[in-house]
């Protein structure tokens, strides 16, 4: 336990050290370079804009909207990916269908779908969730299938030996057996979903009245509020790092690391 | 003459071949064997003679092309909990379950085949009471084997089909595990088919020794002519060793 907490503390320390170094380079660039504040504002101005976003603006609400949207999209996307996995492992035809769908849709960038999605669902939250689902499902299915195929044969033999039903086989052996790949899939999906969300928000505008973080950045651009734009980017980065380190970090240490199954 | 009621496992005219590089490689050809209830049978044979295939057919993990497998006179075609197949691999244990949950796996998968209350006994017998909440990757090779054995017993099988289960262990741990296996066999009285490459192991464990040729035929099938107390170091043991060794190496060089 002590080892674990030391490890996490070390990781946090290293994170802060590198981020601190980047901020230092930023400060030096602002001090030494003769940049217009409209091109490169100082970290102090960005911090001020960030605080202003919370106190005078509705940045808190916008962050919440972004997080709700990304989690809704990821949850639905993960469930669809699991259903595809179940289909793929249940029959040869199912496998062929899922493999083909993945080959067709995985290379298709979410942004390329936007015009069609706007036609179908308008410019509301539904369209954003659709784009997130699209960006989540295919990398997730690819990872889930890779995980399923990497399950050692002896696990399946044990399952068959104890006459597990397809349902029990799936939940007792397939899912935990491929969990390292599921987790890797979730991480990739999260990163793609978060990017897709910010892009979609910038294009679709103010969903739920106020829009999310993407809209915050876009609206600052309209008024040429460069510190505000940077503040939005900082928020995107901070949320990304927090989810990666804390949410996935904790899941990883409680599952695959504990089980000795890290990839 | 054997009473038919003594026979637990009966294989009749089993044939099995594998498709290798566009040609069929026959491993078992009209193979027949009868095993009595409660017997401990060691099976020796050169690599590729069909020993592992035989166990997989006995457990119905693979299907024979012809012939029948009967348990207590009934034809069987699909795997079931009464015939537990144990492979050589350590990774038959589930890494995501603790020792205790691995051992309990058969009881959780079914409507309590062996009573839950037996779990502490199984843990204790396997010397794993202090390691019940360890994960498999935290165990030594010998402990993993004991966990796998305890799990196999938790399902209360009639037959244990063991495919070189102690193959990768050092001799000291191997002997301890052999003693452990003999102890549980004495206690639970299940039937054991034990495939091994190790002649010492075959003699030490088996009541009956079967030697297969590399064409998959039985070239020796006899009850072990040793007293219970014979050890690895007695002349009678060496005589048997030499006999089986010459049978095996003779086969290997044909």
């Amino acid at each position: 336990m002590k080892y674990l907490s030391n490890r996490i503390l070390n990781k946090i320390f290293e994170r802060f050290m590198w981020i601190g170094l980047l901020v230092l380079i930023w400060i030096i660039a602002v001090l030494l370079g003769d940049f217009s504040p409209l091109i490169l504002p100082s970290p102090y101005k960005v911090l001020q804009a960030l605080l202003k976003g919370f106190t005078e603006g509705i940045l808190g609400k916008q962050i919440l909207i972004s997080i709700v949207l990304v989690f809704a999209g990821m949850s639905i996307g993960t469930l669809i990916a699991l259903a595809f996995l179940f289909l793929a492992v249940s029959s040869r035809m199912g496998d062929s269908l899922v493999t083909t769908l993945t080959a067709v849709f995985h290379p298709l960038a979410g942004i390329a779908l936007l015009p069609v999605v706007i036609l179908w669902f308008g410019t509301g939250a539904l369209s954003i969730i659709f784009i997130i689902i699209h960006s989540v499902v295919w990398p997730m299915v690819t990872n889930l299938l890779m995980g399923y195929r990497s399950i050692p044969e002896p696990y399946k033999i044990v399952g068959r030996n104890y006459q597990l039903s397809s349902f029990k086989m799936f939940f007792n052996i397939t899912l935990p057996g491929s969990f390292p790949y599921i987790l890797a899939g979730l991480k990739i999906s999260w990163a793609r979903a978060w990017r897709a969300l910010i892009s979609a928000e910038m294009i679709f505008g103010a969903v739920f009245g106020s829009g999310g973080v993407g809209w915050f950045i876009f609206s600052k651009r309209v008024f040429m509020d460069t510190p505000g734009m940077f503040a939005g980017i900082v928020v995107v980065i901070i949320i990304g790092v927090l989810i990666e380190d804390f949410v996935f970090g904790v899941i990883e240490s409680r599952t695959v690391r504990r089980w000795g199954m890290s990839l | 003459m054997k009473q038919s009621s003594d026979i637990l496992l009966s294989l009749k005219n089993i044939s099995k071949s594998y498709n290798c590089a566009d040609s069929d490689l026959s491993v078992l050809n009209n193979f027949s064997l009868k095993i009595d209830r409660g017997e401990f049978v060691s099976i020796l044979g050169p690599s590729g003679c069909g020993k592992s295939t035989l166990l997989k057919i006995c457990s119905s993990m693979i299907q024979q092309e012809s012939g029948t497998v009967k348990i207590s006179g009934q034809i069987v075609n699909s795997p079931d909990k009464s015939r537990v197949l144990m492979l050589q691999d350590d990774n038959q244990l589930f890494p995501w379950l603790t020792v205790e949950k691995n051992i309990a796996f058969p009881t959780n998968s079914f409507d309590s085949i062996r009573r839950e209350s037996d779990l502490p006994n199984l843990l204790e017998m396997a010397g794993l009471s202090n390691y019940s909440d360890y994960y498999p990757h935290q165990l030594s090779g010998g402990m993993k084997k004991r966990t796998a054995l305890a799990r196999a017993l938790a399902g209360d099988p009639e037959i244990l089909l063991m495919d070189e289960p102690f193959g990768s262990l050092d001799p000291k741990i191997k002997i301890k595990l052999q003693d452990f296996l003999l102890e549980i066999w004495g206690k639970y009285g299940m039937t054991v088919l034990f495939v091994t490459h190790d002649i010492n192991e075959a003699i030490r464990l088996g009541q009956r020794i079967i030697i297969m040729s590399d064409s998959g035929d039985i070239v020796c099938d006899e009850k072990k002519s040793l007293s219970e107390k014979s050890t690895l170091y007695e002349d009678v043991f060496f005589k048997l060793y030499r006999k089986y060794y010459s049978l095996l190496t003779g086969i290997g060089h044909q």
Side-chain angles (χ1 to χ4, degrees), chain A residues 55-88:
Chain A
T55 51
E56 293 174 22
I58 45 166
L59 187 55
K61 190 182 169 193
Q62 287 170 316
I63 291 173
L64 193 67
I65 286 175
S66 289
I67 289 177
V68 167
L69 282 173
V70 84
F71 277 94
M74 273 196 75
S75 309
I76 301 169
T78 306
L79 286 178
I80 295 172
L82 281 174
F84 275 144
L85 173 70
F86 196 67
L87 188 67

Side-chain angles (χ1 to χ4, degrees), chain A residues 152 154-155 157-164 168 172-173 176-177 257-261, chain B residues 61 79-81 83-85 87 91-96 105-106 109-110 135 137 151:
Chain A
Y155 300 169
I157 285 183
V158 175
R160 286 168 62 201
N161 210 152
Y162 292 112
Q163 297 158 286
L164 298 194
K168 281 196 166 183
N172 291 351
I173 291 174
R257 273 188 203 281
R258 184 175 287 177
W259 304 338
M261 284 176 85
Chain B
M61 287 297 167
D80 64 63
K81 61 188 185 325
R83 291 165 285 149
V84 170
L85 177 66
L87 303 176
N91 61 8
Q92 235 185 339
L93 293 176
F94 299 124
W96 57 89
F105 187 81
S109 308
F110 294 100
Y135 286 90
H137 76 105
R151 180 174 72 184

Side-chain angles (χ1 to χ4, degrees), chain B:
Chain B
M1 181 78 187
K2 259 178 207 166
Q3 294 293 313
S4 61
S5 59
D6 286 338
I7 297 167
L8 176 65
L9 171 69
S10 148
L11 305 172
K12 199 173 175 193
N13 301 330
I14 299 286
S15 295
K16 175 72 187 171
S17 55
Y18 292 104
N19 192 277
C20 290
D22 293 332
S23 63
D24 281 344
L25 178 72
S26 173
V27 281
L28 294 172
N29 197 12
N30 274 325
F31 184 94
S32 296
L33 180 67
K34 285 176 179 168
I35 307 285
D36 285 350
R37 189 180 297 279
E39 256 188 321
F40 197 127
V41 182
S42 295
I43 302 174
L44 284 162
S47 292
C49 74
K51 307 184 297 290
S52 299
T53 301
L54 177 67
L55 289 194
K56 284 182 177 156
I57 288 174
C58 289
S59 63
S60 304
M61 287 297 167
I62 57 173
Q63 292 298 318
Q64 65 277 14
E65 277 137 21
S66 60
T68 51
V69 181
K70 287 183 181 174
I71 300 287
S72 307
Q74 302 289 314
I75 292 178
V76 287
N77 291 315
S78 57
D80 64 63
K81 61 188 185 325
S82 71
R83 291 165 285 149
V84 170
L85 177 66
M86 290 182 68
L87 303 176
Q88 185 178 5
D89 311 63
D90 286 338
N91 61 8
Q92 235 185 339
L93 293 176
F94 299 124
W96 57 89
L97 297 180
T98 58
V99 166
E100 186 175 21
K101 287 184 176 158
N102 257 296
I103 295 175
F105 187 81
T107 59
N108 289 336
S109 308
F110 294 100
D111 301 326
S112 196
I113 299 147
R114 191 177 276 280
R115 289 186 312 278
E116 281 285 330
S117 59
D118 273 0
L119 268 178
N121 291 339
L122 281 170
L123 276 167
E124 195 183 323
M125 189 181 63
L128 294 161
S129 299
N130 294 330
Y131 301 93
S132 60
D133 54 356
Y134 277 48
Y135 286 90
H137 76 105
Q138 297 169 308
L139 303 177
S140 67
M143 288 158 100
K144 283 180 191 165
K145 300 285 183 194
R146 278 183 279 150
T147 309
L149 262 170
R151 180 174 72 184
L153 291 172
D156 207 9
E158 275 187 293
I159 307 176
L160 269 185
L161 301 155
M162 307 178 85
D163 193 358
E164 290 186 70
F166 308 146
S168 55
L169 298 170
D170 74 63
K172 198 175 159 189
I173 294 172
K174 206 170 187 177
I175 285 184
K176 275 189 178 173
L177 281 164
Q178 288 167 355
D179 288 341
F180 175 59
L181 179 58
L182 286 174
E183 185 193 325
I184 57 180
W185 175 63
K187 192 171 171 187
Y188 292 99
M190 68 283 188
T191 308
V192 183
L193 257 72
F194 191 98
V195 161
T196 178
H197 274 117
D198 180 344
I199 302 173
N200 279 333
E201 187 169 62
I203 302 172
R204 220 173 157 247
L205 291 174
Q207 278 183 313
R208 179 179 162 191
I209 317 280
I210 291 175
I211 299 181
M212 289 168 74
S213 70
D214 48 8
S215 59
D217 301 318
I218 293 176
V219 289
C220 172
D221 180 358
E222 62 181 24
K223 296 271 183 194
K224 183 169 70 181
S225 51
L226 280 179
S227 73
E228 292 269 323
K229 288 176 182 167
S230 295
T231 71
L232 286 168
Y233 311 105
E234 286 179 22
D235 281 349
V236 62
F237 192 99
F238 278 117
K239 270 185 193 162
L240 265 184
Y241 185 97
R242 276 196 293 272
K243 177 180 165 187
Y244 297 146
Y245 183 80
S246 63
L247 273 168
L248 274 169
T249 49
I251 295 158
H253 289 100
Q254 264 172 18

